[in-house]
Amino acid sequence: MQDSAEPQPNNHREEKRRRILRAAIDEFARKGYFSARMSDVAKAASVADGTLYLYFEGKEHLLVSVFDDVLSRAIDRARVEIAGVASPLERLRIVIRLHLETLAGDRALAQVMQIETRHSQRFMNLLTRGRLGEYFELLRSLIAEGQQHGEIRRDVSPGFATNIVFGAVDEIVNSWLLAGAPGDLTRFHEPLMSLLATGMVEGRA
């Protein structure tokens, strides 16, 4: 039974918000962002249509919120796992592993994050000003620290290197999504890190 669109205590509100976000991921992955309707998300989340608008201004805000929620939890988890790890390069390795593990375990989420969030330049600008920008800064800071420690080459800017790292991970996930028999996404982690760490030239350390 669907509920009424009335404010709830904080714990109930948070549980309901997460249920709506999960329903949005599944509906956007199944129907595509443009075809999915807010009423579809409400039905999948077992809430009244009006309830969605207590949490989200509209479908675009809902999609941005999905992206920011996923990245918020990913960044928090990454910071916990890299705490106490001395090597910046090893910390970068952990962050990339977590990135791949998160999407490998939820193909619908990967579909939304990789495809449905790319529908306009304006939308990507919104994402970059949100938690995506924080994620980029985490990568950039690890690369800059790796350069200071002599683990990462210094003849490229941290910003450029960040784009290379994120772009490589991004393309691997895209190819995995498009593959007919994709297999385990995380199997690309070690080859990718080896290539990023040592480059493509034979015999170069």
Side-chain angles (χ1 to χ4, degrees), residues 78-100:
R79 293 194 188 283
V80 168
E81 293 216 15
I82 67 177
V85 177
S87 164
L89 186 59
E90 183 58 29
R91 279 182 269 154
L92 181 63
R93 182 188 299 273
I94 291 169
V95 171
I96 292 175
R97 173 178 57 78
L98 293 175
H99 187 139
L100 294 175

Side-chain angles (χ1 to χ4, degrees), residues 88-124:
L89 186 59
E90 183 58 29
R91 279 182 269 154
L92 181 63
R93 182 188 299 273
I94 291 169
V95 171
I96 292 175
R97 173 178 57 78
L98 293 175
H99 187 139
L100 294 175
E101 285 179 355
T102 297
L103 298 184
D106 191 338
R107 194 171 178 84
L109 174 62
Q111 172 89 11
V112 172
M113 298 284 282
Q114 297 294 131
I115 297 173
E116 302 305 330
T117 55
R118 315 296 174 95
H119 65 267
S120 74
Q121 181 63 44
R122 190 184 80 83
F123 189 78
M124 289 305 297

Side-chain angles (χ1 to χ4, degrees), residues 126-138:
L126 286 175
L127 294 180
T128 303
R129 291 198 297 269
R131 299 310 294 267
L132 181 59
E134 185 177 343
Y135 186 67
F136 282 150
E137 177 56 28
L138 173 61

Side-chain angles (χ1 to χ4, degrees), residues 31 104 138-139 145 198 205:
K31 296 182 177 178
L138 173 61
L139 296 177
E145 190 176 349
T198 64

Side-chain angles (χ1 to χ4, degrees), residues 150-188:
E151 292 186 335
I152 296 175
R153 55 191 291 180
R154 297 185 178 92
D155 59 340
V156 294
S157 73
F160 177 75
T162 298
N163 290 338
I164 294 296
V165 170
F166 184 83
V169 176
D170 194 57
E171 185 54 36
I172 285 172
V173 179
N174 284 339
S175 297
W176 175 75
L177 282 171
L178 294 172
D184 182 10
L185 175 60
T186 61
R187 73 185 187 278
F188 296 112

